[in-house]
Amino acid sequence: MRVALIALFAVLSLVHLYACYFKLRRLRAATKPGLLLLLAVFYLAFAPTFKPHVFLALLFGMAGDILLISDGRQMRFIIGAVCFSIGHVLYGYTLFCTTGAFAAIPNLWLLLVLALPYAAAIALIARGLSPYVRERHLRKLMPVYLGLVGAVNIGAWLTLFAALRAEAMPQAFAASLLVLGSLLFLVSDTVLSCSMFMRKPSHANFYVMLTYISAQALLTAGFMLYF
């Protein structure tokens, strides 16, 4: 069953990426909702220590995917962004409150060193996109959303540092997957934002979904292995 679900997820991901690359809208819309559903089912069935916040984050991600299938509907986009934001809050809660990430903060300097590069990157992204975003509320909400993604990244790094300090190598490996997954999530959302508000590059959906699927899979695997 475990191998079958992994194989099904891999095949569905490849089919979806194929549809994104060749701009097959119907196939892309048909395959997108199943990606996070399969990850959620896999986590529910095989997580050694079940964390409801991770499971709910995957479900909210699936809801966001469904809402963002259709282009050009601002209300669906806003609700979808809210769903993804809730997912990031749930991921962040799991990282900061259940992994011992705060044990990696001997002082505030480490937190500052981690936070500053993300704050600078988010500020640059928001500033670069701001002239292209007509809606004032979206200009204000965009850095808030990216800030949530950045917070998840910081939580993943702190989780890794805590595992390394404790010399817990299996957990350090799992935390490294969380770091990579959270970084890819930030890349995916940045590419998505640029393609939505600026000139849409060729095969933009392909690159967004490639990094997004990889991010969600790595986060799921990281949480399963860590606990």
Side-chain angles (χ1 to χ4, degrees), residues 57-172:
L58 291 170
L59 293 183
F60 274 106
M62 182 183 69
D65 286 342
I66 294 171
L67 288 163
L68 294 183
I69 287 175
S70 300
D71 297 327
R73 298 184 180 182
Q74 189 178 105
M75 186 54 64
R76 290 171 66 95
F77 170 77
I78 292 174
I79 299 174
V82 169
C83 288
F84 282 120
S85 298
I86 294 172
H88 289 308
V89 170
L90 291 168
Y91 280 146
Y93 174 84
T94 307
L95 288 166
F96 282 101
C97 299
T98 65
T99 65
F102 282 118
I105 310 179
N107 53 59
L108 292 178
W109 285 109
L110 176 60
L111 185 61
L112 186 63
V113 167
L114 284 171
L116 279 178
Y118 284 101
I122 290 167
L124 287 173
I125 294 168
R127 182 177 179 182
L129 289 175
S130 182
Y132 301 94
V133 183
R134 296 180 180 179
E135 297 82 359
R136 182 179 298 179
H137 62 281
L138 290 181
R139 286 199 299 268
K140 293 180 179 180
L141 291 175
M142 181 172 51
V144 175
Y145 173 79
L146 292 175
L148 289 175
V149 184
V152 172
N153 275 259
I154 293 169
W157 280 110
L158 291 175
T159 300
L160 175 59
F161 294 155
L164 291 173
R165 288 187 67 198
E167 298 183 355
M169 290 303 104
Q171 288 184 317

Side-chain angles (χ1 to χ4, degrees), residues 2-25:
R2 186 192 301 259
V3 176
L5 278 176
I6 294 174
L8 182 58
F9 175 75
V11 171
L12 186 65
S13 298
L14 290 173
V15 172
H16 182 76
L17 291 172
Y18 173 87
C20 290
Y21 191 86
F22 291 102
K23 302 178 182 179
L24 306 175
R25 292 187 178 182

Side-chain angles (χ1 to χ4, degrees), residues 46-57:
F46 300 110
T49 302
F50 180 77
K51 296 292 182 180
H53 303 94
V54 176
F55 180 70
L56 288 173

